[in-house]
């Protein structure tokens, strides 16, 4: 008994919400087999589901583990959809370069943010963990991202934000990119102190903030 497109979209939404990765993958395949557009699956089921995950997290109904398993479920579907979306020329809204700072090997939060950003239409370049300032600089020169994200999980590695900012200044590229910082111990005050353009407390906030900052920057640039 094959499912209707409506049932597939509802199933994708529900299964992503509970983080049932195998079923999400299965439904993605079934939807494509029915001839459904990859962007329909993305924009009408997967993204709304992750947005709901973010909303539940903000309300305190969901916690980090729930966000992670939902994110992983979506990531599995994205592996299948990404090449198809590229073929259909789905417009990416911007390029986001991301990395955990030098001295820090935590990447759970960063990976979750990456999935949310990709789902929202950003092209994400992930430099991984223990990223030295000079590596950020060379990656910015190579990829010309709109936004650069520095992630730190430990209070002891937060000073790397400033080291990274200094490296961008020195390389003469500070004004070419929007800089966002985040991580468990990071606060808005700290972000302001190091001269970052934006800060977000969690993955869903990061997406909202990234979109807003990008919009502001583009509004300033004369066409």
């Amino acid at each position: 008994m094959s499912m209707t497109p409506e049932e597939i979209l509802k199933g994708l939404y529900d299964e992503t919400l509970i983080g049932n990765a195998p079923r999400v993958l299965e439904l993605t395949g079934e939807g494509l087999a029915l001839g459904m557009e990859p962007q329909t699956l993305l924009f009408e089921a997967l993204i709304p589901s992750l947005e709901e995950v973010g909303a539940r997290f903000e309300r305190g109904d969901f916690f980090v583990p729930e966000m992670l398993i939902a994110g992983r479920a979506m990531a599995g579907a994205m592996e299948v959809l990404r090449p198809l979306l590229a073929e259909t020329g789905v417009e990416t809204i911007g390029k986001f370069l991301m990395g955990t700072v030098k001295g820090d090997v935590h990447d759970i939060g960063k990976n979750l943010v990456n999935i949310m950003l990709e789902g929202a239409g950003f092209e994400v370049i992930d430099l991984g963990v223990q990223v030295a300032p000079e590596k950020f600089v060379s990656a910015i020169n190579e990829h010309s991202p709109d936004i650069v994200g520095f992630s730190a999980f430990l209070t002891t590695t937060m000073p790397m934000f400033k080291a990274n900012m200094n490296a961008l200044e020195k390389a003469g590229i500070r004004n070419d990119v929007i800089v966002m910082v985040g991580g468990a111990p990071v606060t808005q005050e700290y972000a302001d102190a190091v001269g970052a353009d934006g800060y977000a407390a969690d993955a869903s906030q990061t997406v909202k903030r990234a979109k807003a900052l990008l919009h502001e920057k583009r509004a300033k640039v004369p066409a």
Side-chain angles (χ1 to χ4, degrees), residues 5 8 11 18 35 47 49 65 87 118 120 139 152 160 165 169 172 200-203 219:
I8 283 175
I18 58 167
I47 289 177
S49 185
E87 278 168 30
E118 274 203 342
M160 286 310 298
M165 299 297 272
E169 293 276 358
D202 59 57

Side-chain angles (χ1 to χ4, degrees), residues 43-59:
F43 294 113
E44 292 182 27
L46 294 164
I47 289 177
S49 185
L50 262 203
E51 283 171 347
E52 175 59 23
V53 170
R56 290 186 185 191
F57 179 78
E58 282 170 23
R59 290 199 303 267

